[in-house]
């Protein structure tokens, strides 16, 4: 017998010598003492733990009779089985109405195709293209039960000049039983308020507000008048009070984090927290943006994912946000809380839907699977005009992306991580591949520490 290669061990209490112990494929999750930790580390039979404890360690998967190679093969089979169950079977559908936008966000990853050297035509998607896309959606979704969602994206989908086409897409989808999730900058939503109110049960919006007025306008200026904050927040206020689901994304780096408390106080002033349809979350800004240091000079300091998470917790932002403000942590806290309660948690066979069945229809007749690369034709997965075609040499890079075939398979976090974001790997390494962790192990360990402090420690001490 030996310790499993997929044990995750985190020292959570220096004073009392306690360790969190988690096995990533059995999903066992326990708090153990120093003696158990030492036994797992050395397998020394002289270690003073009982036979009953040893049996429990075997039963819960912390000790295994499998060789390292056989255990790795077991994890490969688990991941391949789950991936085969979702690959090109559970689709997500998205419309890019145009490659046009009315803001000039300083960190926009679409900037080269919207305004830069690779600028694409600003043509809107046509009714003929929408009809063709819906034919594909109906066919791919014919066996789907439950809630059916289409995502609206851009550019900026709710530009004032997109009204006729957006109305056509929504009405057609509504007749087919779909609801709509929208990523919008919120600026032109006042032109759509009557339409949204008539269909308010169909819509949920994600709108980005990066800080209080001066920070937001510095980061997300309107292309004409610089100021976008006043109009966006006015439109958010109308949506929230209308009862439409609104999620505010706060793109966060050290500069904006310093004053995020002011933004949360602003949300309170607007009485948004009292509405059940309102929530917000801080998301790590990955693209380097010049930020002002204490000396007034520009710097390019960036958070790591775990550093961002630590800072969110240290500042007590969830509490300051009245339980309505979360940290984008790739679902780690939810997973750990579920394991703690003994709930079934699925293995993660890929990082996101871009690797399993996301189809994004753009106004040029191309299809993509990842938002981060739309408009870059070398990363498309196929065409839908004149007919639906997944082009193998492109599509296989996304839809045949098996973690089991990369170095991640030997990582004890792989069943939770999903191999990391391929698009982020492309930005950092130049290759579209799994294996870029985004600081995931340290994030996971930090979340274990947090959940111990918040949910476990007091219960152990009381008992």
């Amino acid at each position: 017998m030996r310790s499993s290669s997929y044990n995750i061990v985190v020292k959570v209490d220096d004073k009392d010598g306690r360790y969190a112990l988690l096995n990533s494929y059995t999903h066992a999750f326990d708090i153990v003492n120093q003696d158990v930790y030492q036994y797992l580390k050395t397998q020394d039979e002289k270690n003073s733990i009982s036979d009953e404890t040893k049996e429990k360690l075997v039963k819960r998967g912390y000790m295994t009779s499998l060789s390292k190679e056989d255990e790795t093969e077991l994890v490969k089979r688990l991941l391949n089985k789950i991936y085969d169950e979702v690959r090109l079977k559970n689709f997500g559908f998205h419309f890019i109405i145009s490659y046009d936008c009315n803001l000039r966000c300083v960190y926009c990853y679409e900037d080269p195709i919207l305004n830069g050297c690779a600028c694409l035509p600003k043509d809107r998607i046509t009714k003929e293209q929408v009809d063709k896309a819906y034919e594909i959606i109906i066919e791919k979704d014919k066996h789907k039960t439950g809630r059916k969602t289409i995502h609206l994206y851009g550019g900026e989908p709710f530009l004032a000049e997109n009204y006729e086409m957006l109305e056509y897409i929504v009405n057609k989808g509504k007749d087919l039983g779909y609801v709509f999730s929208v990523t919008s900058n919120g600026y032109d939503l006042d032109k759509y308020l009557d339409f949204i109110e008539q269909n308010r049960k169909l819509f949920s919006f994600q709108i980005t507000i990066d800080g209080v007025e001066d920070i937001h306008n510095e980061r997300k200026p309107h292309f004409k008048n610089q100021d976008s904050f006043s109009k966006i927040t006015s439109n958010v206020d109308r949506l929230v009070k209308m009862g439409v689901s609104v999620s505010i994304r706060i793109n966060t780096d050290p500069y904006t984090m310093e004053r995020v408390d002011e933004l949360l106080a602003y949300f309170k002033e607007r009485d948004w927290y009292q509405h059940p349809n309102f929530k917000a979350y801080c998301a790590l800004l990955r693209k380097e943006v010049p930020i002002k240091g204490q000396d007034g000079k520009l710097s390019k300091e960036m958070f790591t994912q775990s550093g961002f998470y630590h800072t969110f917790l240290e500042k007590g932002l969830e509490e300051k946000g009245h339980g309505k403000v979360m940290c984008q942590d790739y679902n780690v806290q939810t997973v750990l809380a579920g394991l703690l309660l003994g709930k079934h948690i699925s293995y993660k066979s890929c990082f996101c839907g871009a690797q399993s069945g996301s189809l994004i229809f753009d106004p040029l007749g191309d299809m993509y699977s990842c938002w981060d690369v739309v408009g870059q034709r070398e990363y498309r997965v196929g065409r839908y005009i004149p007919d639906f075609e997944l082009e193998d040499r492109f599509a296989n890079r996304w839809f045949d992306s098996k973690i089991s075939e990369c170095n991640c398979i030997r990582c004890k976090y792989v069943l939770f991580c999903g191999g990391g974001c391929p698009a982020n790997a492309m930005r950092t390494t130049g290759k579209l591949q799994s294996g870029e962790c985004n600081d995931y192990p340290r994030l996971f360990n930090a979340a274990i520490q947090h959940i111990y402090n918040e949910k476990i420690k007091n219960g152990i001490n009381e008992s």
Side-chain angles (χ1 to χ4, degrees):
M1 301 292 288
R2 64 177 188 87
S3 291
S4 169
S5 302
Y6 293 88
N7 287 340
I8 297 170
V9 184
V10 180
K11 191 169 188 179
V12 291
D13 197 322
D14 287 327
K15 179 182 177 182
D16 294 321
R18 292 175 186 152
Y19 295 80
L21 177 59
L22 190 156
N23 184 276
S24 62
Y25 63 81
T26 68
H27 284 175
F29 187 11
D30 295 281
I31 304 299
V32 300
N33 61 24
Q34 183 77 27
D35 291 338
V36 173
Y37 166 75
Q38 285 297 335
Y39 178 75
L40 285 168
K41 186 177 180 180
T42 65
Q43 284 92 63
D44 187 349
E45 291 299 330
K46 296 178 182 179
N47 196 287
S48 57
I49 66 171
S50 67
D51 290 340
E52 181 183 2
T53 299
K54 292 175 184 177
E55 288 175 9
K56 285 184 178 178
L57 291 174
V58 173
K59 184 177 181 180
R60 293 179 67 72
Y62 302 125
M63 299 291 293
T64 179
S65 60
L66 295 174
S67 68
K68 289 184 178 181
E69 292 75 17
D70 287 343
E71 192 175 30
T72 299
E73 285 302 316
L74 169 64
V75 172
K76 281 185 178 181
R77 290 196 299 274
L78 288 172
L79 286 170
N80 287 341
K81 180 177 182 294
I82 299 298
Y83 189 53
D84 289 343
E85 288 173 357
V86 298
R87 179 181 177 270
L88 298 178
K89 294 182 177 70
N90 187 18
F91 289 90
F93 303 105
H94 317 251
F95 283 107
I96 294 178
I97 297 177
S98 74
Y99 287 115
D100 196 6
C101 188
N102 48 4
L103 299 191
R104 296 295 181 264
C105 305
V106 295
Y107 49 71
C108 181
Y109 60 84
E110 286 189 14
D111 187 63
I113 62 168
L114 296 183
N115 310 297
C117 57
C119 189
L120 295 174
K122 306 301 184 187
D123 300 342
R124 281 182 290 280
I125 198 168
T126 66
K127 290 183 178 180
E128 291 74 22
Q129 288 173 318
V130 170
D131 290 343
K132 185 63 181 180
Y134 268 117
E135 288 179 19
I136 296 163
I137 291 171
I138 292 167
E139 170 61 25
K140 300 295 181 185
D141 251 6
K142 62 185 177 185
H143 299 303
K144 186 170 185 176
T145 57
R147 188 178 179 87
K148 299 191 294 184
T149 302
I150 292 172
H151 197 98
L152 302 179
Y153 197 65
E156 165 53 35
F158 274 71
L159 288 176
E161 52 266 38
N162 289 350
Y163 191 102
E164 180 182 353
M165 188 49 57
L166 192 138
E167 183 182 43
Y168 183 79
I169 290 170
V170 170
N171 286 336
K172 192 174 184 74
K174 178 170 65 172
D175 291 342
L176 294 168
Y178 284 88
V179 296
F180 294 87
S181 173
V182 183
T183 298
S184 170
N185 62 40
Y187 190 87
D188 275 349
L189 289 179
D190 52 305
K191 309 297 194 302
Y192 289 85
L193 290 174
D194 289 342
F195 179 70
I196 293 171
E197 185 161 25
Q198 293 165 15
N199 297 281
R200 62 180 179 273
K201 292 183 179 179
L202 293 181
F203 288 113
S204 60
F205 283 85
Q206 176 186 285
I207 298 170
T208 299
I209 300 177
D210 279 347
V212 288
E213 188 166 7
D214 62 313
I215 291 177
H216 176 91
N217 286 337
E218 180 184 338
R219 294 290 175 97
K220 299 178 70 66
H222 188 266
F223 80 103
K224 284 186 177 179
N225 61 20
Q226 297 294 307
D227 177 22
S228 65
F229 182 85
S230 300
K231 198 159 182 282
I232 291 170
T233 53
S234 174
N235 288 337
V236 168
D237 193 65
R238 295 286 298 273
L239 291 184
V240 169
K241 291 174 180 175
M242 196 186 291
V244 175
S245 177
V246 176
S247 176
I248 299 298
R249 178 184 174 106
I250 308 165
N251 286 318
T252 313
D253 61 13
Y255 176 52
T256 55
M257 182 65 89
E258 287 177 3
R259 296 178 60 193
V260 72
D261 308 64
E262 297 175 44
L263 181 62
L264 303 193
Y266 176 81
F267 293 166
K268 184 177 181 179
E269 289 173 15
R270 300 300 296 253
D271 289 327
W272 290 347
Y273 293 134
Q274 69 175 323
H275 293 273
N277 52 307
F278 174 83
K279 60 183 178 181
Y281 71 98
C282 292
L284 175 63
L285 184 61
R286 295 195 178 278
K287 183 173 180 179
E288 290 191 354
V289 176
I291 58 177
K292 296 174 183 176
Q294 293 182 346
D295 58 0
K297 296 180 180 179
L298 294 179
S299 68
K300 286 192 174 182
E301 178 188 4
M302 296 296 288
F303 278 128
T304 62
Q305 185 69 49
S306 58
F308 164 64
Y309 178 76
H310 276 299
T311 306
F312 181 92
L313 296 178
E314 287 169 359
K315 289 178 73 71
L317 296 182
E318 185 174 351
E319 183 179 349
K320 290 177 181 177
H322 300 263
K324 292 292 193 80
V325 180
M326 300 293 112
C327 177
Q328 187 186 54
D329 64 358
Y330 300 103
N331 220 30
V332 169
Q333 285 198 86
T334 300
V335 165
L336 291 172
L339 293 177
L340 190 63
L341 295 171
K343 293 182 179 179
H344 172 72
I345 302 294
S346 297
Y347 302 124
K348 194 169 181 180
S349 61
C350 58
F351 182 75
C352 73
Q355 296 161 275
S356 60
S358 176
L359 292 178
I360 304 170
F361 304 101
D362 91 343
L364 305 180
D366 290 322
M367 291 186 300
Y368 297 84
S369 68
C370 174
W371 295 350
D372 283 13
V373 298
V374 293
Q376 300 175 54
R377 298 200 71 228
E378 65 271 28
Y379 296 113
R380 69 188 185 276
V381 297
R383 300 270 300 164
Y384 70 102
I385 299 295
D387 295 301
F388 176 79
E389 179 188 6
L390 288 178
E391 300 172 77
D392 288 346
R393 68 192 181 100
F394 297 121
N396 286 347
R397 292 185 298 175
W398 296 97
F399 298 146
D400 195 20
S401 177
K402 292 183 178 179
I403 316 172
S404 61
E405 296 176 0
C406 71
N407 290 335
C408 293
I409 194 62
R410 293 180 176 82
C411 175
K412 55 192 173 184
Y413 298 90
V414 66
L415 289 153
F416 298 113
C417 166
C421 172
N424 188 55
M426 180 194 69
R427 286 191 291 269
T428 55
T429 70
K431 296 180 180 179
L432 192 65
Q433 60 187 9
S434 296
E436 286 297 308
C437 293
N438 300 342
D439 199 35
Y440 189 88
R442 282 188 287 270
L443 169 65
F444 197 90
N445 291 357
I448 288 177
Q449 180 70 66
H450 176 65
I451 205 167
Y452 172 80
N453 292 341
E454 295 296 313
K455 298 182 182 297
I456 300 174
K457 185 175 182 178
N458 289 340
I460 292 176
N461 290 340
E462 287 171 5
S463 62

